[in-house]
Amino acid sequence: MPNHKKVISFPEPKHWSFFDYVDGGGNRIKEWYSGLSLEAKDRFDALLKNTRKITNHLQWGGFKFLKGKPKEERIWQLDFIADGKQYRLLGVFGGVRKKAVILLGCFHKGVIYTPQNALETVCRRAKELREGRATSHEREVQDDI
C-alpha cells in the first residue's frame, strides 16, 4: 500500500534483539548463564549471534513452538549441545518486531526437563512478563568484527 496516505511504515530492524527475563529476584538468564561452562557459554553466544541474523524465526536452527500448556503462551524453544548435554532456551516474542525474550535456560533429555518444573516456570514467567509484573533487559550479542 505505498500510495495509501494513512499507512505509516516503520523501518524494520536489521537483526533480532534478544532480551533476558528480569523479575524482582534479578536477571534470571544472566544468573543461569553465569553457571554455565566455558563451552556452553561459547555455544550459547554463537547460537544467538548466528540466529539474530535470520529474518524468519521459523528458519532458526533448532526452533520450534512448544505444545500443551506452553502452546497457549506461544513459548518457543531454541536448542544447542555443549558438554554432552542438550540445552534449551525457552522464550516468547516481545511486543516489538524482532524482539525475542529468553525466559528460561534448561536441559532436556527425552521428555525430561531439568529443572523438572521448567515448563510451569516458563509459563508463569511469560504471564508475568505479559502482565507487566516482570521486565526484560537487552542481551548484548557480539557480532563478528
Side-chain angles (χ1 to χ4, degrees):
M1 294 186 166
N3 296 327
H4 195 285
K5 298 195 186 296
K6 292 188 179 185
V7 172
I8 300 171
S9 57
F10 295 98
E12 185 167 316
K14 183 176 179 181
H15 297 300
W16 282 86
S17 296
F18 288 94
F19 289 73
D20 293 348
Y21 172 84
V22 178
D23 64 11
N27 185 326
R28 299 302 185 161
I29 305 308
K30 185 176 180 181
E31 179 181 298
W32 174 78
Y33 180 88
S34 69
L36 297 178
S37 70
L38 185 57
E39 178 187 355
K41 286 179 182 178
D42 287 345
R43 297 278 170 96
F44 175 88
D45 293 341
L47 175 67
L48 296 187
K49 180 181 84 170
N50 294 324
T51 300
R52 71 187 300 260
K53 299 172 189 174
I54 301 171
T55 303
N56 184 349
H57 66 275
L58 297 174
Q59 295 174 342
W60 291 353
F63 174 87
K64 73 175 189 175
F65 282 108
L66 297 184
K67 298 176 182 174
K69 182 159 175 58
K71 181 180 180 180
E72 296 169 16
E73 294 290 345
R74 302 278 299 156
I75 306 292
W76 50 257
Q77 169 183 293
L78 278 175
D79 57 29
F80 67 96
I81 296 174
D83 307 315
K85 296 179 184 176
Q86 298 176 27
Y87 287 84
R88 299 292 187 261
L89 301 178
L90 305 177
V92 292
F93 293 115
V96 186
R97 291 198 50 85
K98 292 192 175 181
K99 176 182 179 180
V101 181
I102 304 167
L103 300 173
L104 183 73
C106 60
F107 303 114
H108 186 255
K109 179 87 173 174
V111 295
I112 309 291
Y113 282 89
T114 305
Q116 290 182 344
N117 65 346
L119 297 180
E120 293 82 15
T121 300
V122 77
C123 289
R124 179 180 45 79
R125 288 181 178 181
K127 184 177 180 181
E128 290 172 355
L129 189 65
R130 187 178 66 250
E131 293 175 350
R133 293 183 287 133
T135 61
S136 60
H137 180 350
E138 187 166 7
R139 172 168 283 278
E140 187 174 327
V141 179
Q142 188 69 31
D143 275 329
D144 292 331
I145 297 174

